[in-house]
Amino acid sequence: MSEEQNIADDGVGTHAADAPKTHSGFVALIGATNAGKSTLVNRLVGAKVSIVSHKVQTTRAIVRGIAIHKNAQIVFMDTPGIFKPRRRLDRAMVTSAWGGAKDADFIMLLIDSERGLRGDAEAILEGLKDVHQPKILVLNKIDRVKPEDLLKLAQTANEAVKFERTFMISATTGSGCEDLMDHLAEVLPEGPWYYPEDQISDLPMRQLAAEITREKLFLRLHQELPYSSHVETEKWEERKDGSVRIEQVIYVERDSQKKIALGKGGEAIKAISTASRKELSEILEQPVHLFLFVKVRENWGDDPERFREMGLEFPRG
């Protein structure tokens, strides 16, 4: 008897055919601004991969959050909120969102149940009629809406677009999210995983660090500062003592916005820096020395280089 047969007889070896089949694929999460897409991606991935704030259009480029559920690797593409564009940056974000949807294996439309199909959500439904990938409807914030209103909303949406399944969830509490993940793990194509098991995002750490600071900027100043402000990580130095020194620049379009970002006596920028440094230290699991600078860059929203920094295609015309 050969050595291979001995191993098999002892029950130690396994045949490749006996191994569970893996599934993997890309799920584009689309919806109107502030529908809760970033909150849901972070919930499903189980870690912070996309920034969240009260300010609309916070997500600018496609952020991929990677989740493992059962034997499936699910790559969520958190797309910018779809809305009626007014400026060049707006057009780039909306184009990015629809492009992400058309590149995915599945499309997941997230609707804020409180707002229903008013405004942008209705326009997105219309746009989905020309997208041929299988689609899933997810109604978010169900804890704030009466059950009969949820059923009516689901019926109206399914009459407009053919959805394969409808899920009712709360991205904040996690209610209904397990059923959603079970379904995605089952329906994604068979195949090897795209990313290492311990990877949760495809964002480079320098870019993720800039996104986290941008989140803290919006959380602190969302009523005063326009969302057109931008953060770039300019220096990243790993130090011998195990800490990291990070220098970032917050770009605004006018001197008046710079004063807002700095705050009286530098109060605002200090608070933003403290909050960002704390979260970055937790993510990196090492001490962080963060230095923030505020600079005025007029009309940066028309600079192709800035669009490339954000992972967006620069719209011509």
Side-chain angles (χ1 to χ4, degrees):
M1 185 180 291
S2 70
E3 186 178 347
E4 284 185 9
Q5 286 174 312
N6 266 323
I7 293 174
D9 289 342
D10 290 340
V12 177
T14 58
H15 294 288
D18 298 331
K21 293 178 180 176
T22 58
H23 293 246
S24 60
F26 292 82
V27 178
L29 186 52
I30 68 170
T33 56
N34 270 5
K37 297 186 300 300
S38 297
T39 301
L40 180 57
V41 167
N42 291 340
R43 163 72 62 179
L44 298 180
V45 171
K48 179 80 155 280
V49 295
S50 194
I51 70 171
V52 179
S53 86
H54 304 297
K55 208 166 191 70
V56 297
Q57 297 121 35
T58 302
T59 301
R60 286 177 174 164
I62 293 174
V63 177
R64 292 181 178 89
I66 305 158
I68 306 295
H69 189 74
K70 297 183 176 178
N71 63 330
Q73 186 178 73
I74 309 166
V75 185
F76 292 101
M77 302 162 68
D78 181 13
T79 62
I82 297 173
F83 57 102
K84 187 175 181 179
R86 296 180 178 86
R87 308 181 314 159
R88 195 189 297 268
L89 178 59
D90 298 342
R91 297 204 308 275
M93 289 161 60
V94 172
T95 299
S96 174
W98 281 117
K102 292 175 182 177
D103 288 340
D105 295 295
F106 274 82
I107 295 171
M108 199 157 73
L109 171 63
L110 189 67
I111 290 180
D112 180 337
S113 298
E114 278 191 302
R115 283 190 285 172
L117 298 179
R118 296 190 300 273
D120 294 326
E122 188 175 16
I124 293 169
L125 276 177
E126 188 64 30
L128 278 177
K129 294 177 181 178
D130 298 324
V131 179
H132 302 297
Q133 285 93 329
K135 293 172 274 288
I136 298 167
L137 174 65
V138 180
L139 303 183
N140 190 24
K141 305 179 185 179
I142 59 170
D143 48 326
R144 305 182 190 179
V145 181
K146 295 177 182 177
E148 56 268 28
D149 292 335
L150 284 171
L151 292 173
K152 185 177 179 181
L153 176 58
Q155 180 181 350
T156 303
N158 276 276
E159 287 172 354
V161 173
K162 183 181 178 182
F163 291 100
E164 306 229 333
R165 286 284 298 272
T166 297
F167 292 88
M168 300 185 183
I169 62 116
S170 168
T172 302
T173 67
S175 174
C177 290
E178 188 74 12
D179 290 339
L180 174 60
M181 292 291 279
D182 286 345
H183 177 71
L184 292 173
E186 183 180 321
V187 298
L188 284 177
E190 284 186 19
W193 291 353
Y194 292 99
Y195 297 93
E197 187 171 353
D198 59 350
Q199 187 171 340
I200 61 170
S201 175
D202 70 340
L203 267 189
M205 190 51 66
R206 289 171 69 107
Q207 190 176 342
L208 179 60
E211 287 291 278
I212 287 170
T213 298
R214 191 161 66 92
E215 177 189 63
K216 305 313 176 193
L217 180 73
F218 286 162
L219 289 174
R220 173 83 185 189
L221 301 170
H222 70 275
Q223 291 182 328
E224 299 106 312
L225 200 65
Y227 84 96
S228 57
S229 53
H230 176 57
V231 179
E232 292 181 13
T233 301
E234 293 209 333
K235 290 185 180 179
W236 186 292
E237 179 191 353
E238 298 284 347
R239 306 179 74 174
K240 292 181 180 179
D241 61 2
S243 66
V244 58
R245 175 190 170 95
I246 302 171
E247 293 184 14
Q248 295 178 331
V249 178
I250 298 170
Y251 288 104
V252 294
E253 293 184 312
R254 294 187 294 277
D255 282 323
S256 59
Q257 295 169 3
K258 180 177 180 179
K259 291 176 182 177
I260 292 171
L262 291 172
K264 187 176 181 180
E267 179 184 0
I269 197 71
K270 288 176 186 174
I272 293 162
S273 179
T274 299
S276 183
R277 178 176 50 77
K278 181 181 178 183
E279 184 160 332
L280 284 170
S281 295
E282 292 171 358
I283 291 173
L284 296 171
E285 297 181 338
Q286 64 187 123
V288 171
H289 307 283
L290 179 62
F291 298 87
L292 297 184
F293 306 90
V294 183
K295 295 182 181 180
V296 177
R297 180 184 276 159
E298 294 182 3
N299 301 319
W300 74 262
D302 293 321
D303 181 356
E305 183 61 31
R306 305 283 73 74
F307 282 72
R308 283 191 288 272
E309 286 277 347
M310 291 183 283
L312 293 171
E313 186 174 334
F314 184 73
R316 300 293 174 180

